[in-house]
Amino acid sequence: MSARFTRGSLVARALAILVTMTSSATSAAPVPKGLPPKVVVGFGFRGEEKDADPFRKLLADSEGFTVELIALEAVTQADLKKYGLIIFGADAKTEEWAGIATAIDRAGKPVLALGEGGYDFLGRPGLKLDIGAPQGWHGEETGVIPVGAAESRLWIAAGIRTDKPVSLYKRSGHVGIIPAKTAAGVVLLGREEADAEHYPIIGQGDRVLWGFTGGPADMTDAGRKVFVATCRYTAKLTRPAAKEEK
């Protein structure tokens, strides 16, 4: 009887150890591939914080980004290295771009520049880019035709796989870039519907222009999805496509 009790105890102990090991392995399982890591976004604005807050809310609610609003005059003193993405709002026009551009280059972080303010920033001489002022024209376009939607990481992330026009805004001003033929590293992402040479969404290196001045309240449902996808694309959080953009 004692021997049977001993064998039973050993079996019970073995089962308990097995359950514990299985539980530990399950709790230590890695996060599935493809889920976007948490990213802290720095959003530079010039006007009032309440005008920038809708962008913070959009990114926090739809993507889980942590967004910190940074007054433009404080950018050069901010710890930019903690951000996975830096966004400059459409109102972010300033005479202090030279110092800000130097700080951004030093931090080495990707930048998404919005509307007129972003266009102004990307045109700063020190950045040596071809997707900012004065390489564009201005109007009131509210949508784009996706470029290479079937293969583009941006459009795949937005769930759009068509080259048909996509309405992004109910109303907005815009700037469209006509890139120089000699420009290196330019990625065409979204072009104007009525003009095949101007691009409101365009990238170069780790800088991307979202050339619309409207805020989230003026975006369509598709516009909000494409904007968030553009943030992910700029921050390099999108999955590689079968074939990269050319």
Side-chain angles (χ1 to χ4, degrees), residues 72-73 75-76 93-102 120-121 124:
L72 213 57
E73 60 270 19
V75 170
T76 55
K93 283 191 173 185
T94 177
E95 298 299 322
E96 305 300 323
W97 275 136
I100 292 174
T102 299
D120 192 43
F121 167 72
R124 295 299 93 187

Side-chain angles (χ1 to χ4, degrees), residues 127-165:
L127 295 176
K128 299 179 181 178
L129 297 173
D130 298 287
I131 59 172
Q135 302 295 330
W137 67 8
H138 311 265
E140 296 181 347
E141 295 286 331
T142 56
V144 295
I145 293 178
V147 177
E151 301 167 351
S152 167
R153 289 183 291 119
L154 187 159
W155 295 106
I156 290 172
I160 295 173
R161 307 296 291 271
T162 177
D163 58 0
K164 303 295 184 183

Side-chain angles (χ1 to χ4, degrees), residues 153-221:
R153 289 183 291 119
L154 187 159
W155 295 106
I156 290 172
I160 295 173
R161 307 296 291 271
T162 177
D163 58 0
K164 303 295 184 183
V166 177
S167 175
L168 303 177
Y169 286 87
K170 292 168 279 189
R171 55 188 172 275
S172 178
H174 96 291
V175 57
I177 299 295
I178 180 167
K181 293 181 179 179
T182 57
V186 170
V187 180
L188 308 177
L189 298 166
R191 74 168 178 84
E192 293 182 9
E193 293 183 38
D195 188 281
E197 295 185 339
H198 286 82
Y199 297 82
I201 308 179
I202 187 170
Q204 187 174 18
D206 57 0
R207 314 288 195 245
V208 174
L209 174 69
W210 173 273
F212 297 95
T213 60
D218 292 321
M219 292 178 181
T220 63
D221 288 342

Side-chain angles (χ1 to χ4, degrees), residues 218-240:
D218 292 321
M219 292 178 181
T220 63
D221 288 342
R224 285 186 283 272
K225 290 179 182 178
V226 176
F227 179 77
V228 171
T230 303
C231 291
R232 292 194 62 205
Y233 171 87
T234 308
K236 298 179 173 58
L237 299 179
T238 49
R239 297 181 183 182

Side-chain angles (χ1 to χ4, degrees), residues 48-64:
E48 296 185 31
E49 190 170 303
K50 65 179 179 62
D51 296 325
D53 197 60
F55 285 100
R56 180 200 61 76
K57 190 174 187 303
L58 172 61
L59 291 174
D61 290 351
S62 60
E63 194 68 11

